[in-house]
Amino acid sequence: MSMLGTLAIIIGVSTLFFAAILSILDLLNIFTLTLFVLPFNLIQWLFAPQLINALYRVKEVKREDSPKLYGMIEDLASKSGVEKPKLGIANIPIPNAFAYGSPISGNHIAVTQSLLDTLEAEEVEAVVGHEFGHLKHRDVQIMMLVSFLPALFYFIGRMIMFSAYYGGSRQRREGGGEGLAMLIGVLSMVVYFVLTLFILGLSRLREYYADSHSASIVEDGPRKLSEGLAKIVSKTGRMKFGRQQGAFALNGFKSLFISDPDTAEADSAQIAHHAPELSDKALVERLLSKRVTGADRLMEIFSTHPNITKRLRALQELEREGAA
């Protein structure tokens, strides 16, 4: 299923169910709730860069601070056909990179110091090329739009269920249908869950599209990105960091990362003990040879990022297409 197809399903399901609710319930209550949720999501989007910078301790990088990295950003921005974003280095322990932005602060790309320490320069270039794919495809705006919909249904469901539970005695005295209201509340929560799964699917699709973009603008991009991803997953999987430690206490921004730190340990389990002594090529081959089990596929459904083996296989296919 394409990114646009998934987006159409998310919007279509939301519109149909929202129309059904409006036809049954008091319009004023629903619109009041919508007017509450929409500004909340809008404010979150507009000021998210400031929150991200604070959480991940991002320090803006000027040309004089890191001429090579700054020059790489300028070159990739030109190749991507987008305005050069602000460059930052995040002071968090895992190797990763992420793109974010808003109309107020503009676009940003941040890399962690651990990424710069772990990867070779050519692999950093491919990883940053992936982040430019997110900017090129306007993923920040798309994900903000679709994330509003499940949030709306979640609050609708909670509001209706709360109202039906605590207002049930009054409705029974008046001969009202609290049972119908409770049913709609439960259905709203079901739609919230289903839409969340679709949004996670959309998030995984955008990772594939961003990988493809990197492969198209970076020379020998599929190989470089494959090796970079393998190293990121391998190192992150070997690290022991606490859930409540530092920025990881808030995990809502993990979809920004090029690799999901939550699944890294499972993804790298097969190579964890041998990773330090494996060559870059052997590391990739180990992950490519890993069998994708039913448990892996189930875990992927609830992840913001694709399974690493499937992702590397997609890059391998891009490499074959480029060589043909």
Side-chain angles (χ1 to χ4, degrees):
M1 187 182 298
S2 68
M3 180 183 288
L4 290 178
T6 304
L7 183 60
I9 289 174
I10 293 169
I11 295 174
V13 170
S14 301
T15 303
L16 284 173
F17 197 77
F18 193 48
I21 292 175
L22 289 177
S23 67
I24 297 172
L25 298 178
D26 185 346
L27 298 181
L28 180 61
N29 289 338
I30 297 298
F31 281 126
T32 301
L33 182 64
T34 304
L35 291 174
F36 169 76
V37 177
L38 181 58
F40 177 81
N41 281 266
L42 185 60
I43 291 170
Q44 177 180 275
W45 174 45
L46 291 176
F47 294 98
Q50 287 81 358
L51 178 59
I52 291 166
N53 287 340
L55 278 172
Y56 298 129
R57 302 188 293 280
V58 179
K59 179 182 178 182
E60 187 173 350
V61 176
K62 303 295 185 182
R63 185 187 299 276
E64 56 271 21
D65 299 324
S66 183
K68 289 185 179 179
L69 186 60
Y70 197 91
M72 179 192 296
I73 292 290
E74 289 182 320
D75 181 55
L76 292 174
S78 176
K79 290 178 179 178
S80 299
V82 301
E83 186 178 348
K84 184 183 74 65
K86 296 175 183 176
L87 172 63
I89 294 181
N91 186 23
I92 56 177
I94 60 171
N96 230 303
F98 45 99
Y100 56 107
S102 77
I104 293 177
S105 66
N107 287 328
H108 300 248
I109 285 180
V111 297
T112 68
Q113 186 59 52
S114 181
L115 182 89
L116 300 177
D117 296 337
T118 302
L119 303 189
E120 298 170 22
E122 63 175 17
E123 296 159 353
V124 173
E125 180 187 19
V127 166
V128 173
H130 168 100
E131 300 307 326
F132 269 101
H134 288 313
L135 298 182
K136 177 78 172 180
H137 302 143
R138 300 186 182 277
D139 287 329
V140 174
Q141 292 89 336
I142 289 173
M143 296 309 293
M144 187 281 299
L145 170 65
V146 298
S147 295
F148 162 73
L149 298 170
L152 178 61
F153 283 109
Y154 176 80
F155 281 107
I156 287 174
R158 288 295 297 269
M159 180 193 74
I160 293 173
M161 293 171 70
F162 183 87
S163 177
Y165 182 79
Y166 287 101
S169 59
R170 179 180 57 82
Q171 291 174 353
R172 281 190 291 272
R173 287 195 302 270
E174 297 174 358
E178 72 277 3
L180 176 61
M182 182 65 77
L183 176 62
I184 293 174
V186 171
L187 289 176
S188 294
M189 298 301 286
V190 171
V191 171
Y192 155 74
F193 178 74
V194 171
L195 286 176
T196 298
L197 292 183
F198 274 115
I199 288 171
L200 288 171
L202 180 63
S203 177
R204 293 192 297 274
L205 278 174
R206 75 188 182 95
E207 296 300 324
Y208 283 119
Y209 280 106
D211 285 350
S212 179
H213 179 78
S214 178
S216 70
I217 64 169
V218 175
E219 185 179 355
D220 199 14
R223 176 190 64 79
K224 295 175 182 177
L225 185 55
S226 294
E227 293 177 358
L229 287 171
K231 287 182 177 179
I232 289 170
V233 167
S234 173
K235 181 163 183 178
T236 305
R238 297 196 311 272
M239 294 176 68
K240 302 295 182 183
F241 50 83
R243 284 285 183 178
Q244 303 303 317
Q245 183 179 6
F248 298 108
L250 179 59
N251 209 22
F253 291 110
K254 70 177 183 179
S255 61
L256 295 170
F257 295 151
I258 190 172
S259 175
D260 184 354
D262 282 351
T263 61
E265 187 172 356
D267 288 336
S268 65
Q270 186 176 354
I271 58 171
H273 297 298
H274 306 286
E277 65 230 30
L278 292 175
S279 67
D280 295 351
K281 184 177 180 180
L283 194 61
V284 172
E285 288 175 350
R286 278 289 179 93
L287 286 169
L288 281 169
S289 67
K290 184 177 182 291
R291 187 170 68 90
V292 181
T293 65
D296 292 330
R297 296 182 189 279
L298 180 62
M299 184 183 298
E300 185 184 37
I301 291 174
F302 297 97
S303 175
T304 55
H305 289 66
N307 173 273
I308 186 61
T309 300
K310 292 171 63 176
R311 194 170 174 184
L312 292 177
R313 288 173 183 171
L315 283 168
Q316 200 174 46
E317 184 62 31
L318 289 173
E319 189 171 22
R320 282 195 290 265
E321 289 175 2

